[in-house]
């Protein structure tokens, strides 16, 4: 017997991707339910060769549902996740609402799958921020080998990280440039078409943005609290795929060649690193793919034991939907939950 799975936020960028990934991976679900706000009630979303009618989450009874994959934003998750969890349905949440709660495991299966067993304290598991997910997939094997002391991360994040309205804004502004229409920023604070914006999420007192702080806090929680992390997060006019330039300082010696060989064997990683024109990955090529790609692996001669690397991944997949589905698979494969229908 299979599981009953609800997708909360099924009409969104991440929710639609979750439906595709559940289907692609042959997830052991007997039933998949699509939920969104009341605005979308009755609309349809695709699930493999089927279409699902969207139901309003506020009217849905989670009592016989095993897992809720939640991607409806932080405010909705703060209110709804505890209520859903109280019905015995495990919530795997994509927002930042629960990531820093010490009773909620924050999981990237390639990095800290064992921590998943802590889910039973609140029946909630958190999925990291899109920039952190791909970062820790690439850093974990290098940390295991040579112990990372400090990282400097600069992100080049696509607009899909800001949801479907952000994608529409890039599209409409790009069109407006060509037809000479006026450009009015709405979702972004400045024009995004043919521009880059060094600002994602709210500003904090110290001048960093919340997005930059998330990379720091989540890397420490999942990988090692001793690692020093500093970050600059930048939005770029790319639809899908986040890129990161990462400078890493290690405790122990590691050459670029060793790093390349380690990453070639590491779960979830794919190395594309030829020292020639086009011998690297760009975000456009990562869209629709599962891997975390690593290119431009170089020794940094300005520090002892330093490397520079370029990391790219599809933010809607490894950065969100794929990682969420992998967490659900890990719960099942480790025997941590059984379908409620079995007990009935
Ligand atoms: N995009 C990324 O790269 C990424 C990566 C990691 C995490 N996340 C997180 O994932 C979440 C969703 O992101 P997204 O990019 O998919 O956003 P999105 O495209 O704007 O979609 C938001 C979804 O939430 C639903 N929703 C809004 N209010 C609701 C309510 N009151 N009750 C039920 N459903 C409601 C929307 O339904 P309607 O269509 O009915 O409004 C829609 O399905 C966010 O928390 C985001 O921070 C995103």
């Amino acid at each position: 017997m299979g599981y009953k799975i609800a997708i909360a936020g099924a009409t969104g960028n991440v929710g639609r991707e979750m439906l595709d990934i559940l289907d692609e991976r042959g997830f052991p679900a007997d039933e998949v339910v699509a939920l969104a706000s009341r605005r979308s009630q009755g609309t349809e979303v695709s699930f493999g060769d089927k279409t699902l009618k969207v139901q309003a989450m506020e009217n849905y009874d989670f009592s016989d549902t095993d897992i809720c994959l939640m991607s409806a934003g932080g405010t909705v998750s703060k209110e709804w996740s505890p209520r859903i969890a109280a019905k015995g349905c495990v919530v795997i949440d994509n927002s930042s609402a629960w990531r820093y709660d010490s009773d909620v495991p924050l999981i990237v299966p390639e990095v800290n799958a064992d921590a998943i067993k802590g889910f039973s304290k609140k029946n909630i598991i958190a999925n990291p921020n899109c920039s952190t997910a791909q970062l820790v997939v690439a850093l974990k094997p290098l940390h295991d080998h040579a112990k990372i002391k400090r990282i400097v991360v600069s992100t080049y994040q696509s607009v899909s990280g800001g949801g479907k309205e952000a994608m529409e804004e890039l599209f409409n502004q790009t069109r407006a440039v060509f037809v000479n229409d006026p450009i009015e920023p709405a979702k972004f604070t400045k024009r995004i078409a043919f521009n880059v914006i060094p600002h994602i999420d709210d500003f904090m007192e110290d001048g960093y943005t919340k997005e930059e702080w998330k990379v720091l806090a989540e890397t420490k929680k999942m990988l090692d609290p001793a690692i020093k992390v500093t970050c600059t997060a930048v939005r770029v006019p790319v639809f899908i795929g986040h890129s990161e330039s990462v400078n890493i300082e290690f405790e122990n010696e590691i050459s670029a060649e060793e790093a390349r060989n380690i990453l070639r064997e590491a779960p979830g990683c794919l190395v594309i690193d030829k020292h020639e024109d086009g011998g690297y990955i760009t975000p456009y090529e990562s869209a629709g793919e599962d891997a975390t790609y690593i290119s431009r692996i170089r020794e940094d001669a300005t520090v002892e034991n330093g490397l520079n690397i370029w990391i790219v991944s599809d933010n809607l997949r490894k950065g969100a939907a794929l990682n969420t589905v992998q967490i659900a698979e890990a719960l099942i494969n480790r025997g941590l939950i059984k379908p409620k229908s079995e007990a009935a």
Side-chain angles (χ1 to χ4, degrees), residues 178-226:
F178 284 107
V179 298
N180 241 340
D181 273 355
I183 289 181
E184 280 152 25
K187 181 92 185 163
F188 296 110
T189 48
K190 298 210 179 195
R191 160 177 157 165
I192 184 67
F194 305 98
N195 201 8
V196 296
I197 305 175
H199 167 200
I200 303 178
D201 210 334
D202 297 336
F203 274 93
M204 306 200 319
E205 255 176 36
D206 60 5
Y208 283 82
T209 62
K210 193 81 193 291
E211 184 80 359
E212 291 159 350
W213 178 82
K214 286 177 198 166
V215 171
L216 179 154
E218 295 173 22
T219 301
K220 284 173 175 282
K221 182 167 175 176
M222 286 186 287
L223 205 53
D224 188 341

Side-chain angles (χ1 to χ4, degrees), residues 9 11-14 36-37 39-40 71-73 94-95 160 163-164 315-316 319:
T11 53
N13 274 340
V14 175
S37 77
R39 294 178 291 274
S40 304
S71 77
N94 261 286
S95 78
S160 56
K164 54 190 175 178
N315 51 294
L316 299 178

Side-chain angles (χ1 to χ4, degrees), residues 255-318:
S255 68
E257 194 48 35
E258 278 173 308
R260 218 170 273 122
N261 290 334
I262 290 165
L263 291 168
R264 275 199 188 107
E265 300 298 320
C269 294
L270 227 153
V271 175
I272 297 187
D273 192 23
K274 291 188 192 144
H275 300 168
E276 61 186 38
D277 292 355
Y280 43 80
I281 192 89
T282 62
Y284 176 71
E285 297 156 288
S286 77
E289 301 294 329
D290 287 350
T292 293
Y293 293 93
I294 301 116
S295 302
R296 308 289 329 276
I297 304 168
R298 291 150 289 153
E299 280 150 36
D300 173 7
T302 67
V303 292
E304 220 182 321
N305 308 326
L307 288 179
N308 282 309
I309 63 175
W310 174 249
I311 307 171
V312 180
S313 196
D314 180 331
N315 51 294
L316 299 178
R317 289 178 80 92
K318 188 59 197 169

